[in-house]
Amino acid sequence: MTQIKSSTQPSVIIIGTGFGGIGMAIQLKNAGFVNVTLLEKAARVGGTWRDNTYPGAACDVQSHFYSYSFEPKHDWSRKFGLQHELLGYMEHCVEKYGLGNQIRFNCEVAEAMFDDAENHWTLRLTNGETLAAQVVITATGQLNQPAWPSIEGMNDFEGAFFHSARWDHDYDLKNKRVAVIGTGASAIQFVPKIVDKVDSLALFQRSAAWVVPKPDRPFKRWEQSLFKAIPAWDRLYRYLIYWKNESRGLAFTGFSSLLKVLSLQAKNEARKHVTDPKKLTHIIPDYQIGCKRILISNDWYPSINRPNLDLITDPITKIDTTGVQTQSGQHYPVDAIVFGTGFRASEFLSPIRVTGCGGITLNQTWQDGATAFKGITVSNFPNLFMLYGPNTNLAHNSILYMLESQFQYVLGCLRVLQKHPGAAMNVRKDSLERYSSVIQEGLEGSVWSSGCSSWYLDANGKNTLNWPGFTFSYRRATRHVDTADYQFLYPAG
């Protein structure tokens, strides 16, 4: 076993080098914590922005607010950042803050086990190596495990097939007959980029998405120069974006009637671009807007209207060697299948096996649904801190704002641990239960509980993902660490 070097500070391992892991490492370094190691399962940083390289991959939050408040970028090419720019931004942060020597690449964690006697965590990697640290911070994200559908005969298909999150750039889709399964956030972006190249595109839709226009455009050179020359303007621009986005929180959490304006906008856009009556009928959702993720795009509806795109709502029954068959018996021969079927978002920390006090596993603890105190800590898993944990996802603003709130809370916990050498912080069960009750009560009146099936809900129908309020209320809740919410465990002897 490799023991992380000892220090008067608690030793820390961060799992993941996406926005969460990198930002947390920077904050720890700035606060003087030097005994920190980052583990990355891949050969490069970037998380979901490293993995999702499909054509058209871009952010649906404005660039200036999908970046750290402490590291502004003035030369974004457009209002909404592209995948390669976001990845480049993270790599820039790693270099600027000197994190390179703290990151261990190609180190995938298979298991994390808390040692009750020694009060530390032991991590077993997939290569067999073991590491130990007093504190583990998980930054694995919610969009890192692709969700593959369970369709009979998938492995019998003799053509090319891949998930959008693992795009096969070596396969040329030009003049091919292509099937796309799924019409979620990824498909909304890559379908318009490939529909002009393929011979035909069979788009299999289980349920339509609400799609509104994306207020995107390139930044002019003078605008980029102004952001750099006048930092106060850059800060004001970011501030205005925040409040514009934050105002939408009212619509999601208690005043869903406000979303009707967006539904009318989406319907008008669809009617303007989709001239095929049959396609138009199927492309407008039959559920309340906001119940599922609202998507933004300027080229989705024009793509749907393309004559070489066949919109298919007949359920898929099987995949055979040459194509896709639907419930009505129709067979669609294709050369390639692209699965735009999203992620296993509610399977937090998967596939890592996490074992806490007394040998209890996180899967056992979460058998009725994932929950965490402030989305960060779980009873019986001392000194384990989660970034982007249960009920911290957003539908109206930037997750980076939530992450920065979590950075400060975790940093506060580590400062507490500095005052209690060798101790482990274990959130009290009653504190967690009270907090979780408040969260679920808040979600009851939200648009997400209006009856549709979405990736916000786990297998039990429980919303384990979304934060039921404003981001400033979450920041207020995580501003300080109340040690009364925790019990302190000390090593035996």
Side-chain angles (χ1 to χ4, degrees):
M1 179 190 298
T2 301
Q3 185 79 29
I4 301 301
K5 59 186 178 181
S6 61
S7 169
T8 55
Q9 298 177 345
S11 54
V12 180
I13 288 179
I14 300 173
I15 305 175
T17 60
F19 269 111
I22 292 171
M24 186 76 253
I26 292 171
Q27 292 303 307
L28 289 174
K29 189 166 191 174
N30 288 344
F33 288 87
V34 296
N35 202 350
V36 180
T37 300
L38 294 92
L39 302 180
E40 172 53 57
K41 66 181 180 181
R44 187 180 185 183
V45 302
T48 192
W49 296 107
R50 174 198 62 233
D51 296 340
N52 286 268
T53 60
Y54 58 80
C59 193
D60 58 5
V61 174
Q62 297 91 330
S63 307
H64 282 76
F65 205 59
Y66 201 82
S67 50
Y68 302 125
S69 63
F70 52 83
E71 184 58 32
K73 174 178 166 64
H74 310 296
D75 58 348
W76 291 107
S77 67
R78 349 182 25 93
K79 287 200 168 186
F80 291 80
L82 303 174
Q83 175 267 334
H84 70 88
E85 282 190 285
L86 294 165
L87 180 57
Y89 173 78
M90 282 187 273
E91 292 175 331
H92 155 79
C93 290
V94 168
E95 182 177 357
K96 177 175 177 178
Y97 291 92
L99 301 181
N101 61 355
Q102 295 177 257
I103 302 174
R104 291 190 56 185
F105 292 104
N106 300 307
C107 289
E108 182 173 4
V109 178
E111 188 172 11
M113 300 156 285
F114 185 73
D115 187 322
D116 300 77
E118 299 295 332
N119 249 15
H120 70 219
W121 284 91
T122 298
L123 275 60
R124 182 175 61 83
L125 308 184
T126 55
N127 63 10
E129 183 182 358
T130 59
L131 301 171
Q134 292 169 269
V135 172
V136 171
I137 302 172
T138 64
T140 55
Q142 294 180 7
L143 306 179
N144 75 96
Q145 295 293 318
W148 290 86
S150 179
I151 303 174
E152 180 186 346
M154 276 177 54
N155 293 326
D156 296 331
F157 183 63
E158 295 178 350
F161 74 96
F162 49 88
H163 195 282
S164 60
R166 302 292 185 268
W167 195 272
D168 185 354
H169 291 278
D170 292 330
Y171 184 81
D172 188 0
L173 294 174
K174 187 176 181 180
N175 298 326
K176 299 292 197 307
R177 299 168 302 170
V178 178
V180 172
I181 298 177
T183 54
S186 299
I188 290 289
Q189 294 185 333
F190 73 74
V191 165
K193 301 301 180 183
I194 68 173
V195 69
D196 290 341
K197 302 176 182 177
V198 303
D199 178 70
S200 63
L201 195 153
L203 179 61
F204 292 88
Q205 172 184 279
R206 186 168 57 179
S207 64
W210 286 103
V211 184
V212 298
K214 186 174 187 178
D216 190 23
R217 66 166 177 81
F219 279 116
K220 295 179 174 60
R221 185 68 61 85
W222 67 265
E223 290 177 299
Q224 295 171 328
S225 299
L226 189 64
F227 287 133
K228 184 176 182 180
I230 308 178
W233 169 240
D234 183 271
R235 296 295 87 189
L236 177 61
Y237 184 73
R238 179 184 167 95
Y239 183 79
L240 293 173
I241 291 173
Y242 171 76
W243 283 109
K244 177 183 177 181
N245 293 350
E246 193 70 357
S247 65
R248 298 183 301 183
L250 278 171
F252 288 98
T253 57
F255 299 90
S256 56
S257 59
L258 297 174
L259 290 170
K260 289 181 179 179
V261 174
L262 287 180
S263 68
L264 291 174
Q265 189 179 28
K267 289 177 182 178
N268 288 336
E269 285 296 307
R271 290 169 183 146
K272 181 167 65 176
H273 295 289
V274 182
T275 57
D276 183 321
K278 183 180 177 182
K279 288 182 178 179
L280 184 60
T281 299
H282 291 303
I283 207 66
I284 296 178
D286 58 2
Y287 56 85
Q288 184 174 348
I289 187 170
C291 186
K292 297 185 180 185
R293 183 177 177 180
I294 298 175
L295 306 178
I296 56 176
S297 174
N298 297 322
D299 48 15
W300 174 246
Y301 291 130
S303 298
I304 294 296
N305 202 50
R306 286 291 304 258
N308 67 328
L309 186 148
D310 190 3
L311 180 64
I312 304 156
T313 57
D314 192 16
I316 296 172
T317 55
K318 66 178 296 185
I319 294 174
D320 58 24
T321 57
T322 61
V324 182
Q325 184 171 309
T326 60
Q327 198 171 73
S328 66
Q330 181 73 36
H331 183 266
Y332 297 86
V334 294
D335 302 306
I337 303 174
V338 182
F339 293 89
T341 45
F343 301 86
R344 289 150 43 194
S346 61
E347 297 180 25
F348 297 92
L349 306 190
S350 175
I352 302 171
R353 177 181 171 84
V354 183
T355 306
C357 295
I360 189 170
T361 68
L362 200 54
N363 283 342
Q364 291 171 323
T365 301
W366 284 350
Q367 60 185 349
D368 295 323
T371 184
F373 184 66
K374 302 185 188 296
I376 299 171
T377 57
V378 182
S379 300
N380 293 319
F381 297 86
N383 283 6
L384 176 70
F385 303 99
M386 287 177 287
L387 302 177
Y388 201 8
N391 294 114
T392 60
N393 183 60
L394 299 174
H396 69 284
N397 218 326
S398 174
I399 189 59
L400 266 69
Y401 187 88
M402 298 290 276
L403 284 172
E404 290 197 24
S405 299
Q406 293 161 27
F407 297 161
Q408 293 309 305
Y409 187 84
V410 175
L411 187 56
C413 289
L414 264 64
R415 285 172 172 147
V416 169
L417 288 172
Q418 269 192 300
K419 299 176 182 177
H420 299 269
M425 295 177 67
N426 185 34
V427 66
R428 296 182 182 276
K429 187 176 180 181
D430 58 336
S431 296
L432 173 55
E433 288 176 346
R434 283 196 303 270
Y435 178 83
S436 298
S437 294
V438 171
I439 293 297
Q440 291 304 315
E441 287 171 8
L443 288 166
E444 286 177 5
S446 71
V447 68
W448 307 304
S449 61
S450 60
C452 73
S453 173
S454 75
W455 64 275
Y456 298 140
L457 309 179
D458 65 12
N460 300 315
K462 180 181 179 181
N463 190 330
T464 60
L465 293 184
N466 288 354
W467 170 250
F470 294 104
T471 62
F472 59 77
S473 63
Y474 183 77
R475 176 151 295 188
R476 186 167 58 245
T478 53
R479 191 176 301 278
H480 302 291
V481 178
D482 186 349
T483 54
D485 290 319
Y486 292 86
Q487 61 180 146
F488 288 82
L489 309 179
Y490 291 89

